[in-house]
Amino acid sequence: MVRSASLVFLGLIAISTAHAQTMTLSSSSAAYQVTPVFSDVGFFDINIEIDAPLAPGLYVDPAIISVVYQVTGVLTPGTPSGFPAFDLQRNMDGAEFYAQGSSLRFEIAQSAVLDDGVQAAELVGNGIVLTFNAREIDTGRFHPALLQLNANGSGRIQNSDNVPSVNPLVEVDFGEEYITDLAFDPGNTTLITDPAAAPPPGGGGGGGGGASSLLDIAVLMFVAGYAGSKRRRGWQKK
């Protein structure tokens, strides 16, 4: 029983310490001090699943599994779209994201400590350290986002330059629909995580998570197996 429990224990430890083969880049308005500059766009949520394990390095248009994002706001009258407000929700795979003219760029420092994800301060650069440009060409949309974060804790989300190659009626330049400035603490703003190390849905952020739970179970199984073996050996001696 001890041997079996030990094998299970070691197997679960191996699972708990394995890293996922993907990483997730997430950014939400809830993580920033938000200051609308033009139009009133105060909510956004961006989630990108990148088809690469979490590791230091330069990522320029990396392979993407999915992009899900939402930007919502009230627009100043007279913008090119003529809309009073908008709620843009996009859900696409990497092929569609890049085919429409979008791009993504960031670099994780070699010195980054990855156990707690990657904070903005662990991205390389003195100026812009992250660019998510959801630019769309010839889709008829005015509001796809351009998010840029700077090393000094400032940033901006605005509409990208969704310049059409066919229909000039939907031409829009950077910030003609909305501009919102962002402020954040680079050392405490987590942008990229390893899904294998993330807490389970509904769980707290206190360092728990699937991996830790597996390790806890393994320890309990090992202890239970060892205790059971001792009881049997003690009974046989009587």
Side-chain angles (χ1 to χ4, degrees), residues 1-18 211 214-223:
M1 177 63 183
V2 172
R3 183 173 181 275
S4 299
S6 298
L7 290 174
V8 173
F9 176 68
L10 292 173
L12 288 174
I13 286 179
I15 294 172
S16 71
T17 56
L214 284 172
L215 185 57
D216 292 342
I217 292 170
V219 172
L220 289 173
M221 289 181 65
F222 179 78
V223 171

Side-chain angles (χ1 to χ4, degrees), residues 92-235:
M92 68 200 103
D93 61 21
E96 182 181 357
F97 178 74
Y98 290 127
Q100 69 186 14
S102 300
S103 60
L104 177 65
R105 188 188 190 284
F106 60 91
E107 182 175 359
I108 300 174
Q110 294 296 321
S111 59
V113 178
L114 304 180
D115 292 347
D116 61 346
V118 176
Q119 285 71 50
E122 295 175 311
L123 297 180
V124 175
N126 295 318
I128 297 172
V129 295
L130 172 70
T131 297
F132 166 76
N133 189 348
R135 180 189 200 198
E136 297 185 21
I137 299 174
D138 290 335
T139 64
R141 295 187 180 91
F142 290 87
H143 305 110
L146 168 63
L147 172 69
Q148 292 180 310
L149 301 180
N150 301 307
N152 65 1
S154 65
R156 171 169 287 186
I157 187 168
Q158 61 184 331
N159 68 276
S160 189
D161 63 332
N162 308 305
V163 180
S165 61
V166 177
N167 185 359
L169 295 179
V170 295
E171 182 173 344
V172 58
D173 205 352
F174 294 109
E176 286 191 324
E177 292 287 321
Y178 61 90
I179 300 172
T180 298
D181 283 344
L182 309 172
F184 60 98
D185 178 354
N188 289 305
T189 302
T190 301
L191 297 171
I192 306 165
T193 57
D194 178 348
S212 296
S213 298
L214 284 172
L215 185 57
D216 292 342
I217 292 170
V219 172
L220 289 173
M221 289 181 65
F222 179 78
V223 171
Y226 180 72
S229 177
K230 285 191 68 177
R231 284 196 299 270
R232 284 194 298 275
R233 288 199 301 271
W235 177 78

